Structures are given as structure tokens and as C-alpha cells.
């Protein structure tokens, strides 16, 4: 037999085996195919092996090499199919799973809209160079009032307007902080200017819950202390924050106001559905506050602001009642 015909036999053997194996779906069919192609007694490979003896002696080494290659290739194809069948069969049996049943969808949770808002504001402020810092929720009177130029007789310190804690007789009063302006004081006491910080956290006031009030809510506090700071810088930062958080078309307004710890002071409003909604307060840090933390008001100046996180979240998401943020109704929360 000519070597060419012998090699042609090997090629058609490999093609036929590959074609037969492709469609095999169970062990019984695989065994059938194994007997047909690789069977030791009357398999097709066996009959090709017999042809080897009919080759010219000079062609036999090459013929034998090609024969062994074809045998190895087809054997590997069989092993591959065997593994495929074993994997398909073993898994469901081992785990007791019926793979023919429809799957069960995994339900992902997500971040609460207030936390999303906090993180977004932190990102925006970070781009303007403001570092995020935290302060304690249980505060003393110095940080919540005194250092912010809110004297003892000021109505904001009324026990009915604050959550004072029970402390030992004679101990300094403590309260759940009523504003995040406390963090301004804590940061200025521990660092020197220049400063750009933002602090987002919870505050507490004994307000009756309604669509715009809740006894616990969140504020964004910002503080910038740098030489040459003016109201123009304050307005740009707040306008930038509003535009980045709500989109470029938001209208903002600054109204003259009063806070003990800023001079001059403004209230910051955003337009919503043809009406102005107050978002918080701001102003140039009062010299009395700078003195209280040991800064020289003749040499440093800066601005501060405090906004309601629920307010800006409600404005962004079109939520009419801030109590919805705290009802834990997943039908509401799932929307954000
Ligand atoms: N702490 C004030 C409040 O809770 C808001 C505020 C006003 C914060 C003016 C500031 C500020 O930093 O400069 O009503």
C-alpha cells in the first residue's frame, strides 16, 4: 500500500471520530463510539494498524509515527467528551440540584439614598479640595454652643429644644449635638490654617416629625479658612455644590440672615417647582469664633456653611416628605 493512501485513511479516521463525538450526549453512546473507533478487536483504528504491515519497509517508520499521532489525538477527544459528561452529571447529583428548574433571581440591596447623598456631596467637595472629617454626636456645651458664640441665655440652648443627656450632679452638661457646626470648632482647635473641611453627619433636635422635620437628621458642614477669603468664594462654592449635585440648571439664592457664629450671615435657598426652599445657612466666620479657637482674627478669615442633607436629597429625588427616608419601606427605598 502506498504511504499516501495510508495517510488518507488516518485523516478520514480522525475526521469521522471528531464528527461522531461532537453529538454524543450520554455515557452509553460514548461507549458505542469508543468500540467503533478505538475498539481493540475490530475498531477502525485496529484495521488501520493492520495496513501498516503492507507499507514499503522504508515508509513504515513515518507511517507508524502518523498512526501514533492519530491514535493520541482521537484518544484525547474521547477523554474530553468523558470529562464533559462527568461534569454535567456529577454536579447536580452531588448537590441535589435539579438543573432543569428555572433559576432563582438574586436580589441585591443597595445604599440608602441619604448615604448616597452624603457620599456624593463628599466627592463633590473633595474635588474642591475639602477633606471629609467626622465629629462626635455626643457633645459638650463648649463645642455645640459656647465656642460658636451662642451664650448661656440664648434660646437655642433651651432644654426643650435639645436632647440633653442625664449626667452626674455637678458634671458638665452633655447633649446630642444639635448642629454639625461643632466640627468646625473641633477641627480649628486641633489644626492651623489653611483649612478646607467638610463634615457630614447626624444631628438631633426634639422637633415633631412632619414632612420637613424629623428629630434626627443630617447636615453638611463646610469650613474654609484661608487668607483673603470673601463672600464671593462662599457663593461660588455653594453654587458649585448645588450645580454638581442637582444639575447645572438649579437656581440658588442668598438671603441676608443672622447666625451668632458668622458675620455677615446668609440663608441659602434653592428653587424647587417655582418656590424657594431653604437649604441651610452660611456666612463669614465671626471673629469671636476665630478668637475662641486661638486664631488671630486680624490675620485669618474664612467662611462656613451648614445645609440639611435630607433637604438636598429630597430636592434631588423629588421626595415630598422626608419621613419616607426613615420608614424603611423597601418599595420606597428601591427607587433610588
Ligand atoms: N448650624 C446652623 C444650623 O444648624 C447652620 C449653619 C449656619 C451652619 C451658618 C454654618 C453657618 O456653618 O455658617 O442651623
Amino acid at each position: 500500500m502506498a504511504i499516501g493512501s495510508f495517510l488518507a485513511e488516518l485523516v478520514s479516521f480522525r475526521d469521522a471520530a471528531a464528527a461522531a463525538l461532537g453529538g454524543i450526549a450520554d455515557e452509553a453512546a460514548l461507549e458505542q463510539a469508543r468500540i467503533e473507533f478505538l475498539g481493540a478487536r475490530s475498531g477502525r483504528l485496529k484495521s488501520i494498524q493492520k495496513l501498516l504491515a503492507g507499507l514499503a519497509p522504508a515508509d513504515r517508520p513515518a507511517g507508524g509515527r502518523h498512526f501514533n499521532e492519530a491514535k493520541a489525538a482521537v484518544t484525547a477527544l474521547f477523554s474530553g467528551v468523558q470529562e464533559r459528561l462527568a461534569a454535567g452529571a456529577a454536579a447536580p447529583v452531588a448537590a441535589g440540584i435539579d438543573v432543569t428548574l428555572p433559576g432563582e433571581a438574586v436580589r441585591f440591596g443597595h445604599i440608602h439614598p441619604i448615604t448616597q447623598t452624603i457620599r456624593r456631596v463628599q466627592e463633590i467637595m473633595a474635588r474642591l479640595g475639602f477633606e471629609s472629617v467626622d465629629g462626635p454626636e455626643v457633645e459638650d456645651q463648649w463645642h455645640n454652643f459656647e465656642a460658636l458664640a451662642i451664650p448661656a441665655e440664648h434660646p437655642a440652648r433651651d432644654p426643650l429644644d435639645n436632647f440633653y443627656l442625664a449626667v452626674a450632679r455637678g458634671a458638665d452638661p452633655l447633649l446630642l449635638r444639635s448642629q454639625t457646626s461643632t466640627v468646625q470648632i473641633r477641627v480649628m482647635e486641633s489644626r492651623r490654617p489653611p483649612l478646607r473641611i467638610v463634615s457630614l453627619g447626624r444631628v438631633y433636635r426634639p422637633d415633631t416629625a412632619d414632612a420637613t422635620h424629623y428629630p434626627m437628621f443630617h447636615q453638611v458642614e463646610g469650613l474654609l479658612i484661608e487668607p483673603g477669603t470673601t463672600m464671593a468664594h462662599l457663593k461660588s462654592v455653594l453654587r458649585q455644590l448645588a450645580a454638581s449635585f442637582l444639575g447645572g440648571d438649579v437656581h440658588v439664592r442668598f438671603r441676608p440672615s443672622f447666625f451668632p457664629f458668622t458675620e455677615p450671615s446668609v440663608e441659602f435657598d434653592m428653587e424647587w417647582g417655582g418656590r424657594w426652599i431653604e437649604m441651610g445657612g452660611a456666612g463669614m466666620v465671626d471673629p469671636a469664633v476665630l478668637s475662641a479657637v486661638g486664631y488671630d482674627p486680624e490675620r485669618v478669615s474664612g467662611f462656613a456653611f451648614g445645609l440639611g442633607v435630607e433637604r438636598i436629597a429630597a430636592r434631588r429625588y423629588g421626595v415630598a416628605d422626608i419621613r419616607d427616608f426613615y420608614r424603611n419601606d423597601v418599595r420606597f427605598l428601591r427607587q433610588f
Side-chain angles (χ1 to χ4, degrees), residues 87-285:
V93 170
I97 294 169
D98 182 349
V99 295
T100 65
L101 289 175
E104 219 175 283
V106 178
R107 279 229 235 125
F108 289 103
H110 67 80
I111 305 291
H112 190 279
I114 293 296
T115 307
Q116 289 184 39
T117 301
I118 287 172
R119 293 192 183 168
R120 181 84 188 105
V121 170
Q122 285 173 330
E123 269 172 41
I124 294 166
M125 295 307 293
R127 281 195 265 122
L128 296 172
F130 287 75
E131 173 198 353
S132 274
V133 297
D134 272 332
E137 291 180 20
V138 172
E139 265 297 6
D140 51 37
Q141 305 210 88
W142 169 256
H143 292 96
N144 203 93
F145 301 124
E146 217 83 41
L148 290 161
I150 304 171
E153 64 282 0
H154 196 283
R157 294 175 66 157
D158 192 318
L160 291 176
D161 288 330
N162 292 281
F163 287 112
Y164 283 95
L165 304 185
V167 292
R169 188 182 300 273
D172 284 341
L174 294 174
L175 74 160
L176 297 180
R177 67 181 177 189
S178 62
Q179 50 185 351
T180 46
S181 302
T182 53
V183 186
Q184 291 183 32
I185 303 302
R186 289 195 171 271
V187 169
M188 287 191 285
E189 281 174 336
S190 62
R191 300 193 200 175
R192 310 310 300 171
L195 286 178
R196 283 189 194 193
I197 58 101
V198 67
S199 188
L200 288 98
R202 293 190 181 118
V203 299
Y204 303 84
R205 292 178 195 174
D207 290 332
T208 304
D210 63 25
T212 52
H213 295 86
Y214 207 75
M216 180 283 301
F217 59 103
H218 298 75
Q219 288 186 331
V220 195
E221 193 79 19
L223 174 70
L224 180 149
I225 306 282
E226 276 170 32
T229 306
T230 69
M231 283 292 274
H233 298 116
L234 167 63
K235 291 176 75 175
S236 305
V237 165
L238 286 179
R239 185 170 284 132
Q240 183 67 53
L241 172 60
S244 300
F245 185 70
L246 297 168
D249 55 350
V250 60
H251 292 278
V252 300
R253 178 173 82 170
F254 298 87
R255 272 183 299 123
S257 183
F258 174 80
F259 295 101
F261 38 92
T262 45
E263 180 61 34
S265 304
V266 291
E267 284 190 74
F268 177 59
D269 302 336
M270 290 184 199
E271 193 262 339
W272 188 3
R275 294 197 303 140
W276 291 102
I277 308 289
E278 184 194 320
M279 294 291 161
M284 301 306 291
V285 179

